[in-house]
Amino acid sequence: MNCCIVGLQWGDEGKGKIVDILAEHSDIVVRYSGGANAGHTVVVGDSRFALHILPSGAIRPNTVCVIASAVVVDPDVLIKGIQTLAQKNITLTKRLFISENAHIVLDYHKKEDQLREEALGKNKLGTTIRGIGPCYADKVGRSYTVRMGDLRDLEKLKARLQTIVDYKNKIFAALYKAEPISADEIFEKCKSYADKLLPFTIDTTEFLHKAIAGGKSILFEGAQGTLLDLDHGTFPFVTSSNSSALGMPAGCGVPAKMVDKLIGVAKAYTTRVGAGPFPTEQDNEIGQYIRDKGQEYGTTTGRPRRCGWFDAVAVSYAVTIGAIDCIALMHLDTLTGLKEIKIATAYEINGKQTSFFPANTTRLSKAECIYETVSGWEEDITTVSNFDDLPLNAQNYICRIEENTGKPITIIGVGPERNQTIFR
Ligand code: IMP
């Protein structure tokens, strides 16, 4: 069976934990979009793994991991990830495959990301400064880009890098009065990337199709979330890839109809990092309660996340455009102790009520939420393993979300550990 895991909100939903759990029943885990802007946290016993570009299946010793073509690969982060796992005796030799067509994030992308954000001042997007936007922009522009397969011909790459760096330096000087970067230094780094990463680099599309034909089961792992999708999210406050389920076929060259099940991951509340409209945001003591209790600080950047109530309008939209079959609801334990909990069930925009999420920032920023309020619970739920053993108010909260999103909640997270998970 092939399954796709996708975030239904603005990222950080807890996809890493779900992928890690489901990877036990999968032969292959595939990252299909984004880059080192992601931060997937997996907790196993005393060890906490923060994976940025490696698929979350990486920590299971027998799972094959694929980084597909639409991922932008930051080689420094990837090599560090491989080394960190090696220190814990987890080797990726012969089970990590990187697409030869994946584009590479180089130092000038990160520099460009930072310079652009600084220049935008209060209008900045709040990116992760991981060079994601500039790398995808070069990919779409086609002329100034380096892909993993280009590391195979270092002589050609050297000349190419000189052309690219000359071009970038003109932009850096003219727009930002910034110091030039050195093509030689980047080339030296590329030589070491070639050494360390070429052994893993293959045609992943061929590999995946052969695996599917051979009856292997594949788990496709989305990064970020549907509302950060470049085309279907809250543009321009989005990432630069198709981070919804719609990005999966294009991202790895496997048609959507080869996926048997789509699991959407949502938090029991909503968070967002960076700028952009957030209708259910609670910029008050409730938001702070959620932030403290849920440790809502970015895995990649450490930034405090903006926190708010569960938004059934937004999640229903993500469910609809992603053809999601069922939902994994994470971090339910974070809400313990709140007297009342709210769910946004519709918006009012310019005096009109709607329950279809407008992925248009101008309209969305005018949305006033219409809430349903339910009672909270006080009991500790972090050791509960059966739905029926949850406090009745927690059961009711889950049922209300199911009713408002129209999809069953089949997995519930009650803590960071693998075993703090309820399956229904
Ligand atoms: P970028 O992907 O670094 O260009 O950032 C664009 C927007 O996406 C910013 O608001 C980031 O905070 C957000 N973003 C990118 N990756 C993640 C993620 O993994 N989790 C949550 N937000 C993210």
Side-chain angles (χ1 to χ4, degrees):
M1 181 161 104
N2 300 327
C3 185
C4 179
I5 307 287
V6 64
L8 299 179
Q9 296 159 321
W10 279 286
D12 310 316
E13 296 93 349
K15 295 178 294 292
K17 174 176 160 175
I18 296 298
V19 172
D20 169 60
I21 290 172
L22 298 182
E24 194 184 354
H25 312 286
S26 311
D27 300 303
I28 303 170
V29 180
V30 186
R31 256 293 293 272
Y32 63 78
S33 71
N37 48 352
H40 293 172
T41 309
V42 183
V43 179
V44 187
D46 293 337
S47 300
R48 193 182 180 90
F49 300 89
L51 301 169
H52 297 285
I53 191 147
L54 282 168
S56 301
I59 57 175
R60 294 206 177 257
N62 298 319
T63 306
V64 170
C65 295
V66 172
I67 297 176
S69 305
V71 174
V72 286
V73 176
D74 181 328
D76 289 325
V77 176
L78 180 55
I79 291 165
K80 194 164 167 230
I82 295 170
Q83 286 168 348
T84 306
L85 291 191
Q87 280 158 9
K88 301 197 177 194
N89 293 323
I90 303 173
T91 168
L92 286 150
T93 311
K94 296 210 168 86
R95 67 179 186 99
L96 170 67
F97 299 104
I98 310 164
S99 170
E100 60 189 356
N101 293 333
H103 289 249
I104 305 183
V105 179
L106 291 165
D107 286 348
Y108 49 77
H109 291 124
K110 291 178 230 178
K111 182 165 172 137
E112 197 173 332
D113 205 353
Q114 186 183 351
L115 290 169
R116 194 184 302 170
E117 283 285 89
E118 280 168 10
L120 282 167
K122 67 176 177 31
N123 294 323
K124 69 179 182 183
L125 299 175
T127 74
T128 58
I129 318 282
R130 294 296 187 271
I132 304 299
C135 185
Y136 277 117
D138 282 349
K139 166 180 162 174
V140 175
R142 292 152 299 158
S143 308
Y144 301 106
T145 173
V146 179
R147 304 203 286 178
M148 286 301 299
D150 296 335
L151 296 174
R152 291 185 185 125
D153 187 342
L154 289 173
E155 215 168 295
K156 210 164 153 194
L157 180 62
K158 190 169 188 183
R160 187 175 178 73
L161 274 174
Q162 192 61 59
T163 311
I164 297 174
V165 170
D166 286 348
Y167 168 79
K168 296 281 178 191
N169 279 338
K170 280 185 202 147
I171 293 179
F172 291 158
L175 295 184
Y176 309 109
K177 302 197 175 13
E179 290 296 307
I181 44 167
S182 151
D184 287 344
E185 271 175 32
I186 294 183
F187 178 66
E188 285 309 311
K189 282 182 130 189
C190 283
K191 282 200 317 205
S192 119
Y193 301 154
D195 256 10
K196 297 189 172 99
L197 296 179
L198 278 181
F200 300 104
T201 304
I202 62 160
D203 180 337
T204 52
T205 309
E206 179 185 9
F207 176 81
L208 288 174
H209 280 278
K210 284 188 172 157
I212 292 170
K216 300 282 186 212
S217 69
I218 304 184
L219 190 58
F220 297 94
E221 174 181 10
Q224 288 83 44
T226 302
L227 306 177
L228 287 172
D229 186 287
L230 178 62
D231 293 300
H232 306 285
T234 51
F235 188 91
F237 305 104
V238 290
T239 190
S240 299
S241 64
N242 287 118
S243 51
S244 67
L246 297 162
M248 179 250 129
C252 51
V254 174
K257 74 179 192 184
M258 286 183 163
V259 175
D260 305 292
K261 192 165 192 174
L262 284 126
I263 303 178
V265 187
K267 266 183 199 157
Y269 46 92
T270 313
T271 63
R272 172 162 209 177
V273 271
F278 179 177
T280 61
E281 181 168 19
Q282 297 300 299
D283 191 9
N284 53 29
E285 70 285 0
I286 289 172
Q288 192 58 43
Y289 182 88
I290 293 173
R291 189 174 305 114
D292 290 343
K293 197 131 184 281
Q295 292 170 30
E296 292 296 353
Y297 296 88
T299 313
T300 301
T301 59
R303 288 181 291 178
R305 295 179 183 141
R306 299 158 66 193
C307 300
W309 297 121
F310 187 89
D311 188 340
V313 183
V315 171
S316 298
Y317 167 76
V319 160
T320 302
I321 68 164
I324 298 300
D325 295 299
C326 56
I327 296 176
L329 192 76
M330 312 307 286
H331 281 262
L332 185 66
D333 53 302
T334 300
L335 297 180
T336 302
L338 288 171
K339 274 208 160 38
E340 286 185 333
I341 303 173
K342 293 188 180 193
I343 303 169
T345 55
Y347 296 156
E348 195 173 294
I349 303 173
N350 295 330
K352 270 199 175 151
Q353 197 167 318
T354 179
S355 52
F356 198 90
F357 181 84
N360 172 293
T361 304
T362 314
R363 281 200 294 137
L364 184 64
S365 50
K366 293 189 184 133
E368 300 279 345
C369 292
I370 297 169
Y371 287 109
E372 171 179 328
T373 304
V374 299
S375 300
W377 59 91
E378 289 289 338
E379 299 90 328
D380 175 22
I381 59 170
T382 55
T383 53
V384 174
S385 52
N386 282 310
F387 180 76
D388 295 338
D389 296 334
L390 282 171
L392 285 181
N393 286 346
Q395 292 187 25
N396 178 53
Y397 181 57
I398 285 165
C399 294
R400 294 311 304 145
I401 292 179
E402 287 184 318
E403 178 78 22
N404 279 297
T405 56
K407 290 293 161 190
I409 294 173
T410 52
I411 303 175
I412 300 161
V414 291
E417 296 270 352
R418 274 178 186 160
N419 61 7
Q420 291 177 297
T421 313
I422 301 172
F423 293 92
R424 288 166 87 200

